[in-house]
């Protein structure tokens, strides 16, 4: 059994690889901190390394929630239920207590609480990290246990096949898109150290404490605003398989950019307040809102309601209207173009997201074609990542 | 001081920390890294810094962040008035005042960050609600948090005499930069478990009846599972039990109407007050929960 035990630094490097595979930002500095924490921790309290490493590796609440499962999977795979054993394959033994003890004996000069010299730590860590990534992955990730998890596969997976934990990647993507949205200048001014206009009143006020000498001039520059995003999600029967995940995407944008979200099929209803907090009952509430809508899809009627009532005061040239729909409209074909033209007249830019391979080809959509700035296919995370380049 | 001793001394200072938090604090102190605390409002982030300073006998230096917070309010500011006065005074005499005299420590007004850096004794630096400050200020903090130093162009770089124990808190109203997060250890403070919350209340309100404390904390724990806009934190629990104690209650009453007037301590929005009516309060007191349309009795 002894020969199956991986070296402590390799074990830690393998653990770091697993964490990176699951989106945690664990670089060399964090691995060095892992080793330092292990050297500082008395051997008999090695179990407390869980909390110490968690504080080092996690950077936000998302990482924090994911940690216990990843830690258990790597260090205590036997405790996890539902693991798949592959017969005849040896799994490297990992024992935290042993890792701490071996580390302290090899690096810590037999005094467990002594800080190792950083050069020694660098050299040893570098040697450990020279192990090619794929070898570490084989020894460290759950592949050996049959529980495959590969970021690339998820990347291409259709939205309908996502698991709940995969959706955390969506939030990161939404934040990236939100950051890329082009800011627009407004007519209002705000204080800014590198501003171009002197705020005479505030400069004079500030000069009082320096005996009237304006030593600290106050500068202003025009305020910039992110565009206002409106998301309209089609929840009709034809979109049944996609609507739930489109709503999740919409929720990600509510959190990332403060988007307003509406659902429609025969009528339109705003659901932004329902998406603003994380609640297990969101889907039930959305269902309750749309329960009495009846069959069919009336996109034009819903759009009229949208620009005439709900978003009447907010649709301007900095507004972005994202419609998530397959484009099958039960209204008269020409009405969709009329309503979209009304939205365009207010200056808003319309983007149409469709789940199908090709852009919607219904008669209504054909007429509305010139009014839509761009069509974006949206059926996987890769589609959304590609859309990030054109959404601005 | 190891993590267990730290936990006990925090307990003596009135803060009941779990093992994970104690280990993280110990590690932050050993590695001399700042600790970023996140969690919902009212879970005890700021209270932790106060208790930590108290139990370690250190001075607490607090920087409350807000929008528009700048270097002059956070780190240092030149005392222009005093500098002008010095110039005027020297004008009456024949000797000239040197520029280097005017830009010395005598004319530097220390704000919290510089106070913590130049403190003669080790201190605890609390940077409260960092998410409320601007991104530019966050970037300035990087130098302070990474190297415990502040660069004043006229004086040079001032390095900490004693590395302060830095705690940053955030309520998540704005996403913090990766650069800041990477410089910090991280801990998510969650709502306490039933046992820990009872211990917290008992340590803060030792005179309250034991039955009242247990029933009221169990009530709040059940209330947190409701779909509320503003989930009550530990501070709200303490307020509420303090109010009940003042009303001479020995245990939670069976009649929900008697509690309705005090629920303002726990429920802070109109929607939440509307959602938790007398009938729901009765169910929460009795420990029943609603599953679909049916009520289920609480499991022991």
């Amino acid at each position: 059994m002894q020969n199956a035990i991986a070296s402590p630094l390799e074990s830690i490097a393998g653990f770091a690889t697993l964490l990176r595979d699951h989106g945690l930002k664990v670089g060399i500095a964090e691995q060095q901190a892992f080793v330092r924490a292990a050297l500082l921790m008395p051997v008999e309290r090695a179990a407390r390394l869980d909390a110490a490493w968690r504080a080092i590796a996690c950077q936000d609440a998302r990482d924090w929630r994911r940690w216990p499962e990843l830690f258990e999977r790597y260090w205590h795979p036997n405790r996890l239920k539902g693991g798949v054993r592959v017969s005849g394959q040896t799994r490297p033994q990992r024992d935290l207590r042993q890792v701490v003890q071996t580390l302290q004996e090899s690096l810590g000069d037999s005094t467990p609480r002594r800080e190792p010299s950083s050069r020694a730590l660098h050299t040893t860590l570098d040697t450990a990290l020279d192990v090619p990534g794929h070898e570490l992955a084989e020894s460290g990730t759950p592949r050996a246990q049959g529980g495959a998890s590969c970021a690339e596969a998820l990347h291409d997976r259709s939205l309908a096949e996502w698991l709940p934990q995969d959706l955390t990647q969506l939030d990161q993507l939404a934040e990236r898109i939100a950051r890329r949205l082009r800011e627009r200048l407004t007519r209002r001014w705000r204080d800014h150290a590198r501003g171009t206009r002197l705020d005479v009143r505030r400069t004079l006020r500030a000069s009082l404490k320096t005996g009237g000498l304006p030593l600290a001039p106050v500068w202003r520059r025009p305020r910039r605003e992110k565009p206002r995003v409106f998301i309209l999600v089609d929840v009709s029967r034809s979109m049944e398989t996609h609507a739930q995940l489109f709503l999740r995407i919409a929720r990600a944008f509510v959190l990332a950019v403060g988007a307003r979200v509406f659902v429609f099929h025969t009528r339109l209803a705003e659901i932004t307040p329902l998406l603003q907090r994380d609640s297990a009952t969101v889907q039930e509430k959305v269902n309750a809102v749309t329960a009495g809508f009846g069959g069919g899809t009336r996109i034009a009627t819903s759009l009229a309601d949208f620009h005439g009532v709900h978003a009447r005061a907010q649709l301007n040239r900095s507004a972005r209207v994202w419609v998530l729909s397959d484009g099958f409209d039960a209204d008269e074909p020409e009405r969709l173009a009329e309503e979209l033209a009304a939205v365009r007249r207010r200056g808003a830019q319309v983007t149409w997201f469709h789940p199908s391979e090709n852009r919607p080809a219904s008669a209504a959509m054909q007429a509305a074609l010139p009014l839509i700035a761009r069509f974006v296919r949206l059926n996987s995370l890769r589609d959304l990542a590609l859309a990030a380049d054109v959404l601005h | 001081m190891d993590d267990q001793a730290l936990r006990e001394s925090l307990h003596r200072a009135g803060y009941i920390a779990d093992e994970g938090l104690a280990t993280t604090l110990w590690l932050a102190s050993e590695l001399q890294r700042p600790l970023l605390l996140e969690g919902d409002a009212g879970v005890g982030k700021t209270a932790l810094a106060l208790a930590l300073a108290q139990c370690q006998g250190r001075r607490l230096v607090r920087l409350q962040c807000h929008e528009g917070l700048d270097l002059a309010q956070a780190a240092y500011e030149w005392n222009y008035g005093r500098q002008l006065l010095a110039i005027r005074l020297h004008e009456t005499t024949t000797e000239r005042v040197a520029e280097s005299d005017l830009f010395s420590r005598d004319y530097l007004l220390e704000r919290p960050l510089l106070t913590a850096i130049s403190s003669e004794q080790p201190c605890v630096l609390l940077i409260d609600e960092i998410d409320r400050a601007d991104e530019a200020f966050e970037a300035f903090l990087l130098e302070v948090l990474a190297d415990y130093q502040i660069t004043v162009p006229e004086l040079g770089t001032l390095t900490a005499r004693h590395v302060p124990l830095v705690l940053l808190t955030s309520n998540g109203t704005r996403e913090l930069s990766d650069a800041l997060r990477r410089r910090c250890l991280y801990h998510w403070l969650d709502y306490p478990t039933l046992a820990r919350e009872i211990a917290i209340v008992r340590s803060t309100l030792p005179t309250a009846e034991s039955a009242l404390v247990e029933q009221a904390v169990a009530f709040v724990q059940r209330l947190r599972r409701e779909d509320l806009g503003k989930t009550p934190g530990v501070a709200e629990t303490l307020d509420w039990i303090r109010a009940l104690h003042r009303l001479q209650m020995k245990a939670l009453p069976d009649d929900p109407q008697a509690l309705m007037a005090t629920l303002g301590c726990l429920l802070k929005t109109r929607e939440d007050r509307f959602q938790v009516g007398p009938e729901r309060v009765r169910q929460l007191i009795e420990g029943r929960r609603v599953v679909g349309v049916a009520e289920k009795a609480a499991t022991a």
Side-chain angles (χ1 to χ4, degrees):
Chain A
M1 286 304 276
Q2 196 63 29
N3 57 359
I5 297 174
S7 90
L9 288 176
E10 271 181 32
S11 293
I12 291 175
F15 183 47
T17 309
L18 174 72
L19 296 176
R20 272 197 298 275
D21 285 347
H22 286 79
L24 275 73
K25 291 166 189 144
V26 179
I28 300 288
E30 282 74 19
Q31 289 185 58
Q32 285 176 340
F34 278 4
V35 176
R36 280 202 187 94
L39 290 169
L40 289 165
M41 190 70 74
V43 177
E44 65 277 8
R45 302 178 62 77
R48 303 304 310 146
L49 267 183
D50 178 8
W53 285 355
R54 192 180 197 181
I56 293 166
C58 296
Q59 288 186 15
D60 55 28
R62 198 185 296 147
D63 297 347
W64 190 260
R65 280 194 295 270
R66 208 178 303 167
W67 175 270
E69 191 213 330
L70 294 174
F71 187 84
E72 287 292 303
R73 185 193 286 189
Y74 190 82
W75 294 103
H76 309 293
N78 297 330
R79 291 187 198 163
L80 279 182
K81 289 180 181 171
V84 181
R85 280 174 184 274
V86 181
S87 63
Q89 203 165 0
T90 52
R91 184 192 292 153
Q93 266 195 358
R94 297 190 194 97
D95 181 353
L96 259 185
R97 194 187 162 95
Q98 196 144 17
V99 164
V100 172
Q101 196 161 10
T102 320
L103 263 182
Q104 290 181 357
E105 281 165 8
S106 58
L107 290 177
D109 266 358
S110 75
T111 47
R113 297 178 63 79
R114 184 178 160 170
E115 181 92 359
S117 78
S118 90
R119 190 190 295 172
L121 199 59
H122 271 280
T123 321
T124 347
L125 257 183
D126 288 348
T127 321
L129 296 172
D130 275 344
V131 181
H134 66 274
E135 284 178 27
L136 284 176
E138 274 179 17
S139 64
T141 60
R143 191 181 297 177
Q145 300 157 41
S149 86
C150 178
E152 279 306 304
L154 167 68
H155 208 68
D156 261 342
R157 209 181 293 161
S158 165
L159 287 180
E161 296 164 15
W162 278 14
L163 299 170
Q165 63 265 35
D166 301 335
L167 294 165
T168 52
Q169 288 196 10
L170 169 65
D171 292 336
Q172 290 169 344
L173 202 50
E175 276 163 21
R176 187 154 70 88
I177 292 174
R179 278 198 298 273
R180 287 176 56 94
L181 286 177
R182 197 176 294 155
E183 290 179 339
R184 297 191 77 102
L185 290 179
T186 64
R187 281 185 288 182
R188 292 175 189 276
W189 292 71
R190 61 169 296 176
D191 294 351
H192 198 276
R194 296 191 306 280
T196 50
R197 181 188 281 185
L198 186 69
D199 185 338
V200 179
R201 194 185 66 80
R202 295 193 57 194
T203 302
L204 289 177
R205 181 75 184 82
S207 74
L208 290 181
K209 65 179 175 182
T210 54
L213 289 175
L215 288 177
V218 181
W219 297 97
R220 315 194 86 193
R221 75 172 190 184
R223 199 168 71 185
R224 291 160 187 270
E225 272 182 2
K226 286 274 185 195
R228 215 180 272 274
V229 177
F230 299 91
I231 301 178
L232 280 70
V233 184
D234 186 346
V235 289
S236 63
R237 190 64 56 83
S238 62
M239 291 284 289
E240 212 167 36
T241 51
H242 302 100
Q244 194 179 355
L245 287 155
F246 278 2
L247 284 172
R248 286 183 190 277
I249 291 177
R251 179 180 145 70
F253 282 99
V254 169
L255 300 181
V257 75
R260 285 182 69 186
V261 180
F262 300 84
V263 290
F264 67 91
H265 42 124
T266 53
R267 276 185 288 153
L268 181 90
E270 179 163 12
I271 56 162
T272 317
L274 303 183
L275 301 180
Q276 269 161 348
R277 53 190 150 110
D278 197 8
S279 160
T281 56
V282 165
Q283 191 60 45
E284 288 170 27
K285 287 178 178 174
V286 172
N287 291 347
V289 168
T290 58
F293 279 18
T297 320
R298 301 182 65 183
I299 304 178
T301 309
S302 302
L303 267 177
D305 197 19
F306 166 69
H307 72 75
V309 181
H310 294 280
R312 189 188 166 105
Q314 292 180 321
L315 274 184
N316 54 28
R317 68 193 175 93
S318 76
R320 302 278 182 277
V321 180
W322 297 350
V323 186
L324 280 61
S325 167
D326 56 5
F328 292 113
D329 192 3
D331 283 319
E332 293 79 23
E334 64 276 11
R335 271 203 63 201
L336 181 61
E338 287 169 16
E339 301 305 337
L340 279 174
V343 174
R344 287 288 301 127
R345 275 198 297 278
R346 310 280 289 277
Q349 198 183 68
V350 182
T351 304
W352 201 284
F353 294 84
H354 53 93
S356 51
E357 187 71 39
N358 300 314
R359 67 169 61 167
S362 62
M365 291 303 293
Q366 291 300 329
L369 224 47
L371 299 160
I372 296 169
R374 63 182 74 84
F375 284 89
V376 178
R377 179 173 182 262
L378 184 55
N379 196 30
S380 70
L381 200 59
R382 185 183 292 275
D383 292 336
L384 194 61
L386 290 174
D389 298 330
V390 292
L391 294 173
H392 44 72
Chain B
M1 190 189 282
D2 70 4
D3 54 342
Q4 201 54 39
L6 182 62
R7 192 178 173 206
E8 282 159 16
S9 64
L10 277 172
H11 194 163
R12 283 194 293 278
Y15 192 94
I16 318 287
D18 60 20
E19 280 194 334
L21 179 59
T23 305
T24 307
L25 284 169
W26 164 80
L27 189 69
S29 159
E30 290 286 329
L31 296 182
Q32 300 189 334
R33 293 263 297 268
L35 173 62
L36 172 62
L37 290 165
E38 279 194 322
D40 292 337
V43 292
K45 301 184 290 293
T46 308
L48 174 62
L50 300 172
L52 195 62
Q54 191 186 334
C55 79
Q56 296 196 337
R58 294 186 180 200
R59 179 184 171 199
L60 177 74
V61 181
R62 179 173 179 168
L63 173 64
Q64 178 65 48
C65 298
H66 55 82
E67 198 180 339
L69 178 71
D70 60 13
L71 205 60
Q73 294 162 316
Y76 68 90
E77 191 177 11
W78 287 107
N79 192 341
Y80 294 118
R82 217 171 140 213
Q83 284 172 324
L84 283 169
L85 192 65
I87 294 168
R88 295 273 156 82
L89 281 174
H90 278 85
E91 280 171 357
T92 60
T93 63
T94 49
E95 66 179 285
R96 284 193 60 189
V97 58
E99 193 183 322
S100 57
D101 293 339
L102 287 175
F103 289 99
S104 63
R105 289 296 289 262
D106 295 343
Y107 296 94
L108 198 64
L109 293 173
E110 289 183 354
R111 302 296 184 217
L113 292 179
L114 187 58
T115 307
I117 292 287
S118 54
S119 170
E120 295 287 346
Q121 302 296 326
C123 65
V124 174
L125 172 62
L126 169 65
I127 303 176
D128 213 4
E129 300 186 329
I130 177 68
D131 49 331
R132 290 182 191 272
D134 304 324
E135 284 170 26
F137 178 73
E138 209 180 289
F140 164 75
L141 265 187
L142 298 181
E143 184 193 10
V144 180
L145 297 181
D147 303 318
Y148 298 102
Q149 63 183 34
I150 291 176
T151 303
V152 182
E154 296 85 352
L155 285 182
T157 300
L158 307 174
T159 309
R161 293 176 192 178
H162 301 278
V163 173
L165 183 53
V166 185
L167 297 185
L168 298 98
T169 73
S170 165
N171 286 330
T173 57
R174 175 175 68 79
E175 193 60 34
L176 301 176
S177 71
D178 282 354
L180 182 77
R181 287 183 182 277
R182 291 202 81 166
R183 278 163 179 78
C184 301
L185 298 182
Y186 180 85
H187 193 92
W188 173 266
L189 265 184
D190 214 340
Y191 293 106
T193 57
L194 178 71
R196 197 156 79 87
E197 195 163 16
I198 289 175
I200 291 168
V201 176
R202 280 197 181 134
S203 111
T204 317
L205 298 168
T207 53
E209 288 290 325
S210 184
L212 175 71
V213 171
E214 283 168 20
Q215 290 173 13
V217 171
F219 178 91
V220 177
Q221 294 261 335
R222 286 182 212 122
L223 188 66
R224 285 199 189 116
R225 289 199 287 266
E226 297 288 302
D227 190 19
L228 298 174
K230 164 78 186 75
T231 309
V234 182
E236 278 81 15
T237 312
L238 287 168
D239 279 350
W240 188 51
I241 298 178
R242 199 173 281 129
L244 298 177
H245 183 50
R246 287 273 176 90
L247 290 169
Q248 315 288 333
M249 288 191 189
K250 307 283 182 209
L252 282 193
D254 294 331
D255 178 19
Q257 287 298 346
L259 281 184
M260 291 310 289
T262 63
L263 281 187
C265 300
L266 294 175
L267 304 169
K268 302 292 177 70
T269 70
R270 192 166 155 241
E271 288 78 17
D272 290 350
R273 284 303 297 267
F274 180 74
Q275 190 180 329
V276 184
E279 182 56 21
R280 193 78 200 98
V281 170
R282 183 186 63 76
Q283 291 168 346
L284 289 168
I285 293 173
E286 292 169 3
R288 292 171 187 275
R289 60 195 176 95
V290 177
V291 178
V293 290
E295 262 188 29
K296 275 194 173 180
T299 50

